[in-house]
Amino acid sequence: MGEVKKIKNLKEFSTSADRFEGANLLCPGCAHSIIVREVLNATNDDLILASSTGCLEVCTAVYPYTSWDASWIHIGFENGSTAVAGAEAMYQALKRKGRLKQPDRSTKFVAFGGDGASYDIGFQWISGCMERGHDMMYIVLDNEVYANTGGQRSSATPIGASATTSPAGRKSYGEKKNKKDMVAIMAAHDIPYSAQVAPNKWKDMVKKIQHGLNVEGPVFINAMSPCTTEWKFDPKDTMMISDLATDSLVFPLYEIIDGHELNITYRPKHKVPVEEYLAAQGRFKHLFKAEYKHMIKEWQDRVDATWEYLQRREEARV
Amino acid sequence: MAEQGWDEFEIGAMLRSFNGEAKDVALTLQEDRDYSSNNSFTASVADWRIEKPVFNKDYCIDCQFCWVYCPDISIISRDKKMIGIDMDHCKGCGICVEVCPTNPKSLLMYSEQTDEEQALAAWPSKDEGEK
Ligand SMILES: Cc1ncc(C[n+]2csc(CCOP(=O)(O)OP(=O)(O)O)c2C)c(N)n1
Ligand code: SF4
Ligand code: SF4
Ligand code: SF4
Ligand SMILES: [Mg+2]
């Protein structure tokens, strides 16, 4: 285990030397890079990184450039998880045989994937990594859509969102199914740590990433990543949308230890109505038409029910 | 490597972020790194901007909100102080201005061709400052 980087406050955090570089081709205001920066800056350990195909990968490895200052590999859409798991398995083998070139250094293994790559296409690969017990962290950059290919729905797209393959119109309010609970599914693998994070809560993020990197075994993190292009909001508003998401409890922040012990890590002082979160994004615009307005109540009721469930789980300590 | 065309490079080749040996990158500030020409740090996205942020350090309280939320590593903070903007990598998203808590703001967006001196001279005062 490496020494945990001391980050008492934001001023101290700002002395970090970024290992992720600019002039990548992510959209202005993209939350993927805000999340990646917070994750990478949470540690000074050596990093072995992978990305699945998606906005983050495509925009940070445009030949002849790389935007990564740590070892980074891309193979395909479905296998960011196994790319890192393979490297980790090799590392453990070399360690066992006493053949590590720099045995004194602390090395961590982290894979990034989009929701499409994680909730859908790389699902069984991640499940395999969690089940086999690799000492690695898997982070979903959850922008609730296949952003890199033009906004197709994934199983992380929430009900009522208009996506290119579930468009809203005269006959439809958009996506018909609500997103699946990926954190619960991963926690059910009995892994030591799983959590949901958001870029606006940088301190909560850093705490969870540091905990996850220092625990032994597989760790799963679902990171909310507001997408200016597909959620349809102004690039300057990424953090405002993030605040609305966490303060309306559409994206509750919590962690699950050893597959069962649930802790809520953020309780908004002033709970914001879900309607405000929906109204701030073009992908939900149609829900404010008379014929689809019932969906707004459906949203609020569902978010309230999930919050109730999380609180009961937390109290029960089971 | 950087000079080779798309049909000349080796498939499965590795891009090096730095020239020579890179040790303790996490403890080395950008100005002390030997970036290779394959590192996107050496490239610029300045021509993406329509508007640019201008920094007025007179009002800055060094809270570092702009540093942590800038997606493009373009807020330069050293020794816990915000010292400027990296105009090669700033894409002009405007997030830093939105999250700046001072009144008037210590960062404001101006059209790309605005003269910085003029912007600073005409900086809004406290009352009209809050956008
Ligand atoms: C096996 C395979 N299927 C489809 C694609 C095309 N593809 C590339 S990126 C992408 C979307 C990625 O979506 P997501 O994982 O959510 O990441 P995001 O771009 O939203 O960050 C798709 C469908 C591919 N590269 N490989
Ligand atoms: S489409 Fe969305 S996720 Fe992709 S780079 Fe743009 S803002 Fe980021
Ligand atoms: S405008 Fe955007 S990219 Fe430029 S410094 Fe501000 S937050 Fe960073
Ligand atoms: S957000 Fe504003 S006050 Fe805070 S460090 Fe940046 S410029 Fe200064
Ligand atoms: Mg996505």
Side-chain angles (χ1 to χ4, degrees), chain A residues 18 21-22 26 37 64 68 200, chain B residues 17 33 35 38 40 67 69:
Chain A
D18 273 278
E21 299 292 353
L26 292 158
R37 287 191 60 220
W68 301 87
N200 52 324
Chain B
S17 313
R33 294 176 180 171
Y35 285 110
N38 290 123
S40 71
W67 175 82
Y69 297 131

Side-chain angles (χ1 to χ4, degrees), chain A residues 5 8-31 33-34 37-38 41 43-46 61-70 102 105 199-202 234-239, chain B residues 1-6 9 15-18 23-30 33 35 37-45 48 61-65 67-73 77 79-81 88-89 91-95 98-99:
Chain A
K5 182 171 169 181
K8 273 200 318 288
N9 50 42
L10 193 46
K11 282 189 194 226
E12 195 162 17
F13 198 29
S14 77
T15 62
S16 304
D18 273 278
R19 283 183 279 177
F20 184 67
E21 299 292 353
N24 56 62
L25 303 188
L26 292 158
C27 299
C30 176
S33 48
I34 304 174
R37 287 191 60 220
E38 289 176 0
N41 284 332
T43 179
N44 287 333
D45 289 341
D46 289 342
V62 186
Y63 183 79
Y65 294 118
T66 172
S67 302
W68 301 87
D69 298 337
Q102 298 175 302
R105 295 188 75 90
N200 52 324
K201 300 294 173 197
W202 69 268
D234 196 291
K236 74 176 177 12
D237 291 329
T238 304
M239 300 325 295
Chain B
M1 189 80 191
E3 280 74 46
Q4 281 172 328
W6 64 270
F9 75 88
L15 293 177
R16 289 193 172 274
S17 313
F18 305 103
K23 262 180 117 176
D24 288 322
V25 180
L27 302 173
T28 311
L29 293 170
Q30 290 181 326
R33 294 176 180 171
Y35 285 110
S37 54
N38 290 123
N39 197 307
S40 71
F41 180 82
T42 63
S44 171
V45 284
W48 287 29
I61 55 169
D62 292 310
C63 67
Q64 304 300 341
F65 285 145
W67 175 82
V68 72
Y69 297 131
C70 170
D72 290 292
I73 315 101
S77 292
D79 301 321
K80 306 184 181 177
K81 296 220 156 20
D88 286 334
H89 299 134
K91 293 173 186 161
C93 66
I95 289 178
E98 291 303 306
V99 299

